[in-house]
Each structure stands twice: as C-alpha cells, then as structure tokens.
Amino acid sequence: MVNTSVQLSTMHLDNPVIPASGTFGFGYEFAELYDINVLGSISMKGTTREPRFGNPTPRIAECTAGLINSVGLQNPGIDKVIEHEIPELSKYYTKPVIANISGFAIDEYVECCEKADKVDKIGMIELNISCPNVHNGGMSFGTSAESAYEVTKAVRAVTSKPLFVKLTPNAPSIAEIAVACEKAGADGVSLINTLLGMRIDLKTRKPVIANVKGGFSGPAVFPVALRMVYEVYEAVNIPIMGMGGVSSAADVIEMMLAGATAVQVGAANLKDPYACKNIIDELPIEMAKLGIENLSDIIGGAH
Ligand code: SIN
C-alpha cells in the first residue's frame, strides 16, 4: 500500500492533486459527476473585490495540445463567494479549500484577503498576481520583483493563513519573483499561470480572441512549467505548487521530482471533467510501478 499524502504548509493533503483555479468553478458544480472529496484540495475561481462579468467573447481559442483563454476574471465578487459559493461547496466537500484572490490594486488584494482570512473553510490563500487577461492589475504585479514584494507584504500583514503567490511565466525571471515573494513573507509559490499567446482566424484574418491575446495552457506547456518549477525550487526555501499542462499521474510525479509539493491540474479539466479523479486513481498504480512508497519522499528528487 503506497502513501500519497503530502504536507503543504499547514494543510495535510490525502494526495497532492488539486484542480487549478479557473478550470473547476467553485467545485460543487463537479459534485454531480463524482465524489469530489477524493481531491487533495480545490483552488476556487479567481475572486476579486467587485463582481466581474469578464472579457467580451470569443474568449477561447483551440490550439495544438492546449488552448488560449481570455476569461477576464469572471466571478461574483468576494462577498458572494463567502456568502454563497463556499457554503454551497461545503455541502459536498469536507476538506479545506484554497481561495484564489485576484485584483487590480494593492488595497483590493488586501481587502479580499482580510475577508478570506475570517473564513474557516479557507485553508490557504493563493494570491494571483499572474492573470494575463486584465489591464492595470493581475499579471502586472507579477512581472516585477518590486511590485510582487509590495503586494505580498501588504497581504501578509492581514492574514495568518498560509499564503501562496501564483506566479506568471511571462516575467523576465520567475525565480527572481519567487525570491521577492519569499522575502515578503509568502509561505509558498504556485507556478505557472498561463503563457501569453494568440491565434488568428485565417478566414477573417483577425485575432480569434476578442481581447486579441490570452493565456495559453495545456499539455504543450508542461516542459516549460517543469523547467520553471525546477528553477524556482533551487532559488527558494518555501514549498511550490506546480502546474502547467499536467494531465496524468506520471506528470504529477515528474512535477514533484522537479520540486513541487502539490500539483494543480488545469486545462485537463476542461477536456475531461473526470481528469483529476482519473489522475488520483492512477497515482498509486504509477507509484507502485516506479517503486515509490511515500510520495512526499520524491519532492525535489531530480536535483
Ligand atoms: C482569467 O479569468 O482570465 C484567467 C485567470 C488567470 O489566468 O489567472
């Protein structure tokens, strides 16, 4: 019998598999398909202070081995998430969840995190400074070490929950940003968010996505994500949630060897709503094949 559990900061996870924010709604939508209690945790849809309708459509473009999204942080706002979405999710999911907090200004991040801090069901805050689909916020905080430090420090002051910062691959050095977040008091980092990309419709000769550009994710980005997790592991002393194109139990193991303590599954959920469940079912079989008894023993094993 293999042991798939991992300790992620103060959260003890039965397994390291977590659906990534933006690909799994608020979680309860999937409860009619399977018992979502099999999931290590759930990173909920990126939440802002105000409700947001999101970007104009089309927001999605298909690509070889992946897709581009430009959703634009559509969400009902932090108050509604606390009053409605989390209680609804709690009917089906008994474990602590991860609140993915996005914003346009430091005071907005701070206000949302202050509110999230008071919610028992939230076991961890994932500070999203990496959304490529909005102007004057999102990714702009995650592309310079100074602004990443500033927003992390400000949020650190208002929450005692584990604080992970979700990083963008669209920065000159993701390791430098991770170090800045660690210095500002982050308990961990999540990486990678999507890579900026675009498609052009050959018939209209115009960009497919209304917002022109969007975030590329899916199996095609896996080697890039893996390389970044590997580099960040060497640069910081805080745990990493690895993500980017993960679609099998073997990918989970590879991410952990690169340095991830937990692994998020994103685009794969959009292709197959059972993706996380299938990966969790496969994990002990894959571990047994590779002679791994305790999954947590392999974290950073490739270094
Ligand atoms: C979006 O809502 O546009 C995606 C969120 C993200 O990339 O962080």
Side-chain angles (χ1 to χ4, degrees), residues 8 59 86 102 141 238 244 257 272 281 295 298:
L8 181 68
R59 297 169 168 182
I86 293 177
S102 300
F141 284 103
I238 48 177
L257 286 168
D272 175 6
D281 289 346
L295 198 51
I298 69 162

Side-chain angles (χ1 to χ4, degrees), residues 4 15-17 249 252-253 279-287 295:
T4 59
N15 66 71
V17 180
V252 170
I253 291 171
I279 291 172
I280 291 163
D281 289 346
E282 265 176 46
L283 199 51
I285 302 165
E286 199 63 30
M287 285 170 65
L295 198 51

Side-chain angles (χ1 to χ4, degrees), residues 8-13 26 40-48 77-90 93-102 109-127 155-156 158-164 187 241:
L8 181 68
S9 198
T10 58
M11 282 172 76
H12 182 78
L13 310 182
F26 287 94
S41 184
I42 296 171
S43 180
M44 297 182 294
K45 174 62 190 159
T47 300
T48 50
I78 186 75
D79 292 334
K80 185 88 187 292
V81 168
I82 293 172
E83 282 157 28
H84 178 264
E85 306 297 337
I86 293 177
E88 195 58 27
L89 174 55
S90 302
Y93 191 66
T94 58
K95 304 174 186 174
V97 296
I98 301 171
N100 181 290
I101 301 295
S102 300
Y109 280 107
V110 167
E111 194 178 322
C112 289
C113 291
E114 250 173 342
K115 289 183 174 176
D117 187 65
K118 299 187 176 73
V119 180
D120 287 345
K121 183 76 177 167
I122 297 174
M124 176 178 288
I125 291 174
E126 185 175 56
L127 195 66
V155 166
R156 176 74 288 168
V158 298
T159 182
S160 53
K161 292 200 190 280
L163 176 64
F164 275 56
D187 296 298
M241 272 195 279

